[in-house]
Amino acid sequence: MYPLWEQGLDETLKAGKHNNFSFAIESITVGSGDAVQLPRAGVVAVVGGNNVGKSTLLRQIYEHLSHGPGQPRVAIPPVLTDLTMERSAPAADLIAWLGEHSIFALGAQGQSGSFHRAGVGAITAADANTYWSGAFGIDRLGALASFLVSHANARDRFQWVQPVGRRGNFTDPPTHPVHALEDRKLLLDELSKLSIDIFGRPLTLDRISGNIQLRVGQTNSTPPPIDSVTEEYLQELSELKPLHEQGDGMQSVLGVLIPLVTSTHPVILIDEPEAFLHPPQARILGRALADLSTRRGIQVVIATHDRNIVIGLLEAKDVDTTVLRLTRQEDETVVKQLSASEISEVWRDPILRYTNLLDGLFHQIVVLAENDRDCNFYAAALDHLHTTHNLSIKPHEVLFTSTYGKGAMPRISSTLRNIGVRVVAIPDLDVLNEEPLMSRLVNSVGGDWSKISGDYKAATAQFRQPRPKPKKQDIKSMIDAILDENPDEEYNKSTKERIAKALHTESPWRDLKTFGDRAFTANSTAGERLLESLDEIGIVTVRLGELERFHKDSTKGPDWLPAALEAGAHQSSEAQAQIMRVIQAGGVSLEPRTASLHIDPL
């Protein structure tokens, strides 16, 4: 006997198999014309800096799918311009799937019946078939979209933790995720385990109250049969606080997980799943999203601002995870994709895995420095520059991160650039010592070593020659160069040490750290041209030679940074010129402030 919903349907729409039904978003295209393919099942993480359109992209995906006949579309969507769907399943399987996940109600005399689901709406089998067949557009689902796609922002997903009315008949299909938890204890146990993992608290399903609801905690006594409820159990159950009365963090996360655990939609769009969470909890949530999407065969698309969510996704095993990074170029959205295989390669790199480099996904510019001390000094210099100049971006949109030496700069730069992160490197000037490293670094930031190598060879030829025994005039020139830097300063320990080093015969390359760009004595024109070319492509060498030259009155070591900052070295003209070159290499425009201009908060 056919199910109720098949009465009156064409034979081609009958006897479908709900387990055979599948639906997914196949590809999306953004404003720049870039199109990316999405995995059939797994997680797509949409990342990027502030105000690049992450949340807007999710909202427009849902709006695009849910357009019906006669409904106007946005003429020029600011983020999404097109999408394609994978919907190869026959309409009979769709109808069977709707019957498995919705309540079917017969219409009034002469009217078709329709599928109903709590919080979703209603649709007739005929309309579902029409939309599924593409009669109103191959990229439109109309009223069918709300049955197949869940779109929940941080506010909307609180609905999934609210008490739910009972079904008219316990044999009716579940119309709400909580009904699925009521029917299948294994799903409830799985959700409870996730709650324990993230919050340390189990869940209990209250089947006794007028509405079905989740409570936090568990009773001491074993739940009795529904027709033999004891007073003891009722008392214990009443002492468990309802989930919808818990904190926002717990409600939000479980509101994210309940639709995934119960597989109520084949496509789930989640905006900011990390909302209200602490970093360790966000990391566990990321792993849970990845694991559930794979085991349930669900396509999950998230917009996130949190590296901990991304780390959790990457920690999950055997999951098809894709990262899409959005940027804005003028008025267009640009997307770069990092595939699952590329992510696996990134995750094997300990520098990327155990440092803050993944934070670069959420910043406008990433500045690579040799160590943490350099990062802190240049960040302070940028903060000061922001007080004297109007910048086209805020300082907090620039991430200074350490590569722990120069050797890893090319590899890290290439990885970040592959997903659209704008990268600037600030190595000490002695990076020029090694031509192979320079070649890799230039190419990693998008430069062409063949166009620079001529000036490189001309400018550095003097350092590749054996150092002849110095003449008195040479010694005098080196000492004069040191003493002329700040002639009115007191002759101190730092100056004495620099003169002592100049008197010793060292590798000619040492002059780059000691004298900075003034060391190009044989061909200063080629040297200046080389440094300017490097600036243009995003390798902003320290013109003074090394970081310590910004504050020469303090010796190297852990005490240098606090001493330099206390002395205001980050505000000096040399430091400000350096950080100005850095942000300009990152595409930031700036102009001096006037006295009447308000200084934006950091």
Side-chain angles (χ1 to χ4, degrees):
M1 183 177 178
Y2 286 134
L4 188 62
W5 62 81
E6 293 190 352
Q7 295 182 18
L9 288 182
D10 185 273
E11 289 298 321
T12 60
L13 299 181
K14 297 179 180 180
K17 304 292 184 184
H18 70 88
N19 289 331
N20 293 339
F21 175 72
S22 66
F23 167 73
I25 299 169
E26 190 171 64
S27 70
I28 59 173
T29 304
V30 298
S32 62
D34 299 319
V36 292
Q37 301 292 313
L38 306 187
R40 171 64 189 77
V43 180
V44 178
V46 183
V47 302
N50 291 327
N51 301 316
V52 296
K54 299 184 294 294
S55 299
T56 302
L57 175 62
L58 267 61
R59 186 180 70 250
Q60 290 186 354
I61 287 174
Y62 185 78
E63 291 174 350
H64 193 103
L65 290 169
S66 59
H67 271 103
Q71 290 180 305
R73 302 192 198 197
V74 179
I76 306 177
V79 180
L80 182 78
T81 58
D82 196 15
L83 62 76
T84 61
M85 295 179 282
E86 181 274 297
R87 48 176 175 182
S88 56
D93 290 345
L94 165 67
I95 301 301
W97 186 88
L98 290 173
E100 187 71 17
H101 293 82
S102 313
I103 292 289
F104 184 80
L106 290 172
Q109 187 174 4
Q111 295 181 346
S112 300
S114 55
F115 297 98
H116 298 257
R117 192 192 292 181
V120 171
I123 190 170
T124 66
D127 285 347
N129 176 44
T130 300
Y131 281 113
W132 188 247
S133 67
F136 293 130
I138 59 172
D139 57 350
R140 293 186 180 206
L141 291 174
L144 182 59
S146 58
F147 286 81
L148 302 182
V149 183
S150 169
H151 175 224
N153 58 29
R155 180 186 65 257
D156 295 339
R157 54 181 174 260
F158 283 86
Q159 65 176 309
W160 300 123
V161 301
Q162 298 299 314
V164 180
R166 296 183 177 280
R167 289 166 284 183
N169 192 316
F170 71 90
T171 61
D172 289 339
T175 62
H176 190 282
V178 173
H179 292 156
L181 298 176
E182 181 185 24
D183 291 349
R184 300 175 60 187
K185 185 177 183 300
L186 287 177
L187 298 184
L188 177 61
D189 290 344
E190 184 172 9
L191 182 67
S192 181
K193 182 180 183 305
L194 288 169
S195 178
I196 293 171
D197 290 343
I198 300 173
F199 300 105
R201 308 283 301 281
L203 298 174
T204 295
L205 187 63
D206 177 0
R207 310 164 191 262
I208 307 300
S209 300
N211 292 321
I212 307 169
Q213 61 181 324
L214 287 163
R215 294 180 179 271
V216 179
Q218 60 186 14
T219 58
N220 294 322
S221 56
T222 303
I226 196 68
D227 58 349
S228 301
V229 178
T230 63
E231 292 184 5
E232 178 185 11
Y233 178 75
L234 288 175
Q235 179 61 34
E236 291 178 2
L237 186 65
S238 68
E239 293 173 358
L240 301 181
K241 191 173 182 179
L243 176 57
H244 68 276
E245 296 179 6
Q246 296 289 333
D248 287 347
M250 192 171 198
Q251 288 192 60
S252 177
V253 168
L254 292 173
V256 167
L257 292 175
I258 287 172
L260 270 77
V261 170
T262 56
S263 305
T264 51
H265 296 81
V267 175
I268 297 181
L269 312 175
I270 307 172
D271 189 17
E272 297 187 46
E274 70 277 5
F276 314 112
L277 282 185
H278 297 298
Q281 296 170 330
R283 191 164 175 169
I284 298 171
L285 176 59
R287 287 200 300 267
L289 292 174
D291 179 61
L292 284 168
S293 67
T294 300
R295 289 194 290 111
R296 297 288 193 271
I298 295 173
Q299 186 180 63
V300 178
V301 184
I302 67 171
T304 181
H305 300 80
D306 193 337
R307 70 186 290 265
N308 295 288
I309 287 284
V310 177
I311 290 174
L313 295 175
L314 298 181
E315 288 177 337
K317 297 180 180 179
D318 302 320
V319 175
D320 198 351
T321 299
T322 293
V323 174
L324 303 182
R325 186 174 190 272
L326 301 185
T327 55
R328 296 285 288 180
Q329 294 183 3
E330 297 181 351
D331 292 329
E332 286 187 337
T333 299
V334 178
V335 62
K336 293 289 184 180
Q337 183 172 17
L338 191 63
S339 66
S341 60
E342 291 171 316
I343 289 174
S344 296
E345 183 178 347
V346 167
W347 200 236
R348 286 194 294 268
D349 190 326
I351 294 181
L352 288 169
R353 187 169 185 172
Y354 296 112
T355 66
N356 71 335
L357 273 166
L358 280 178
D359 282 336
L361 294 171
F362 309 99
H363 289 74
Q364 298 284 355
I365 303 171
V366 173
V367 179
L368 305 180
E370 293 188 22
N371 55 55
D372 291 332
R373 181 183 55 183
D374 296 51
C375 294
N376 293 330
F377 182 82
Y378 291 126
L382 179 58
D383 283 348
H384 180 71
L385 181 66
H386 182 57
T387 67
T388 61
H389 288 72
N390 290 313
L391 310 180
S392 58
I393 66 173
K394 297 291 189 293
H396 65 256
E397 295 177 301
V398 180
L399 174 67
F400 293 89
T401 188
S402 172
T403 58
Y404 301 95
K406 303 178 182 70
M409 280 186 175
R411 182 175 78 254
I412 293 171
S413 173
S414 293
T415 300
L416 294 175
R417 285 189 71 253
N418 284 342
I419 51 173
V421 178
R422 191 180 301 166
V423 179
V424 178
I426 323 180
D428 289 344
L429 196 56
D430 64 347
V431 70
L432 301 177
N433 293 18
E434 303 176 50
E435 184 173 355
L437 173 61
M438 278 301 306
S439 174
R440 294 196 306 275
L441 184 55
V442 166
N443 293 331
S444 76
V445 297
D448 185 345
W449 177 246
S450 65
K451 296 180 179 180
I452 297 176
S453 60
D455 281 336
Y456 172 82
K457 293 182 185 301
T460 60
Q462 69 182 88
F463 308 117
R464 293 194 297 273
Q465 303 298 323
R467 184 188 287 275
K469 292 186 176 181
K471 298 178 181 179
K472 292 180 179 179
Q473 182 59 42
D474 297 327
I475 297 296
K476 182 177 183 301
S477 296
M478 287 188 287
I479 294 175
D480 286 345
I482 296 172
L483 296 178
D484 288 345
E485 287 182 2
N486 293 287
D488 294 330
E489 282 186 354
E490 180 182 341
Y491 183 78
N492 52 35
K493 180 180 179 181
S494 175
T495 305
K496 181 178 179 181
E497 288 176 349
R498 292 181 65 195
I499 291 176
K501 288 181 179 179
L503 293 175
H504 284 81
T505 302
E506 295 180 339
S507 166
W509 291 103
R510 177 66 193 178
D511 290 350
L512 289 172
K513 274 202 166 187
T514 304
F515 304 108
D517 57 3
R518 296 174 64 181
F520 295 111
T521 56
N523 194 336
S524 58
T525 301
E528 181 60 27
R529 199 163 53 232
L530 169 65
L531 297 184
E532 289 179 353
S533 297
L534 293 175
D535 282 356
E536 289 175 3
I537 62 175
I539 303 173
V540 184
T541 55
V542 181
R543 295 295 182 94
L544 293 184
E546 60 181 345
L547 181 74
E548 287 79 7
R549 300 301 179 207
F550 290 112
H551 183 57
K552 299 180 288 294
D553 292 341
S554 179
T555 57
K556 293 184 178 181
D559 295 332
W560 183 88
L561 180 64
L565 295 179
E566 185 175 352
H570 60 293
Q571 303 175 9
S572 68
S573 59
E574 295 92 346
Q576 289 298 289
Q578 177 74 16
I579 198 63
M580 216 177 274
R581 286 193 296 271
V582 169
I583 64 167
Q584 287 174 325
V588 178
S589 60
L590 70 162
E591 59 181 16
R593 294 184 187 274
T594 63
S596 60
L597 287 176
H598 171 70
I599 296 177
D600 294 331
L602 298 182

